[in-house]
Amino acid sequence: MAGVLQRFEQRLEGVVTSAFARAFRSAVQPVEIAAALQREIDNSAQILSRDRRLVPNDFTVELSPSDHERLVPFGETLTGELSTLVREHVHEQRYTLAGGLTIEFVQAPELGTGRFRVRSRTNASVRPAAGARMSDSAARRAEAYLQIGNQRHPLTPPGLVIGRGSESDLRIDDPGISRRHCELRIHDTGETVQITVTDLGSTNGVVLNGHRVSSAAVPDGSEMRLGNTTVVVRLSEREA
């Protein structure tokens, strides 16, 4: 861990300008943020198997208004160096990132100068096997859709297979999800729309509204936990 921080400081010295140095003279120090990111990663690691531990890939650094104002002009440079540090730490500890890495700086008015917080989330990337992600307006017109993070994906008859492999209709790059994890079927009776989920023999199973299921009906608004990803199933209102 110390080696990663030392390399971070050495790289930072190469890009620091006098303005950058003045900005951090009496505020949060970059190395403090770097160390906090490492601790957050270590404390959030989840065991997937004997040799694999999953760690968050989406980090938010909350700063006081004064520290945030000082940081804004140098945010891109610092974010790049912190991202390199995170990847080095993940590699050295043999962790597995949940997906693409993001680090964001935001204001937290309740924090005083020199204070900060690091929050993390596990956000796997989601890709339809064919076709682009539909717009929110198109999702609202669909009979049903899946909400994963801030993305909506259509669910139309006869349904789709969710998994990590390329043969799945909806691919989620979550190490806790099997290549063909589960199948969602949608049945339109003309009067109602019914959705069912079936576990396709996945390693970690399907948790529907807090209960592990092998096959079950999926009511509107249900939450499915697949690996480390939450999928919310929504039915669209039908026009009269």
Side-chain angles (χ1 to χ4, degrees):
M1 181 182 296
V4 173
L5 283 175
Q6 288 172 358
R7 290 196 297 272
F8 169 77
E9 290 185 292
Q10 290 168 358
R11 285 195 305 270
L12 206 58
E13 288 176 0
V15 298
V16 162
T17 63
S18 58
F20 189 104
R22 286 196 301 271
F24 284 100
R25 187 170 297 159
S26 60
V28 172
Q29 300 299 307
V31 70
E32 294 177 320
I33 299 175
L37 284 169
Q38 286 187 330
R39 289 194 299 271
E40 181 68 16
I41 291 169
D42 293 336
N43 292 337
S44 302
Q46 302 177 44
I47 297 176
L48 295 178
S49 63
R50 186 179 63 180
D51 301 318
R52 299 182 71 192
R53 286 181 291 175
L54 184 73
V55 295
N57 61 311
D58 187 339
F59 299 91
T60 300
V61 180
E62 298 180 349
L63 299 161
S64 71
S66 58
D67 286 329
H68 187 269
E69 183 179 359
R70 292 188 185 98
L71 177 64
V72 167
F74 314 101
E76 186 175 345
T77 297
L78 184 55
T79 297
E81 295 302 330
L82 288 171
S83 295
T84 299
L85 172 137
V86 167
R87 291 190 176 94
E88 288 182 349
H89 184 61
V90 166
H91 175 73
E92 290 192 0
Q93 299 301 316
R94 298 184 178 180
Y95 292 144
T96 298
L97 280 172
L101 177 63
T102 60
I103 300 175
E104 180 184 17
F105 297 98
V106 300
Q107 287 192 52
E110 70 277 10
L111 293 178
T113 300
R115 302 295 297 275
F116 70 96
R117 286 191 297 258
V118 173
R119 300 188 188 277
S120 64
R121 293 185 299 175
T122 299
N123 286 333
S125 61
V126 183
R127 303 189 304 276
R133 180 178 69 88
M134 69 174 175
S135 65
D136 286 348
S137 60
R140 286 191 290 269
R141 291 195 300 271
E143 292 180 327
Y145 62 88
L146 307 178
Q147 184 86 38
I148 307 175
N150 59 0
Q151 295 184 7
R152 291 181 174 185
H153 302 270
L155 180 58
T156 58
L160 54 76
V161 171
I162 299 176
R164 187 166 45 85
S166 59
E167 65 273 24
S168 297
D169 300 307
L170 190 63
R171 297 178 60 186
I172 303 179
D173 291 333
D174 180 336
I177 291 179
S178 298
R179 296 186 64 81
R180 284 173 55 86
H181 197 98
C182 67
E183 182 178 26
L184 284 168
R185 304 287 291 183
I186 181 167
H187 313 276
D188 188 346
T189 66
E191 295 182 356
T192 62
V193 175
Q194 299 175 341
I195 301 172
T196 58
V197 61
T198 301
D199 187 348
L200 299 178
S202 66
T203 300
N204 295 314
V206 175
V207 178
L208 177 65
N209 296 326
H211 302 281
R212 184 160 178 165
V213 299
S214 57
S215 182
V218 183
D220 181 26
S222 293
E223 289 191 358
M224 295 192 307
R225 186 73 174 175
L226 311 177
N228 300 280
T229 301
T230 298
V231 179
V232 181
V233 181
R234 299 287 188 187
L235 290 175
S236 301
E237 294 184 3
R238 291 198 162 190
E239 296 181 2

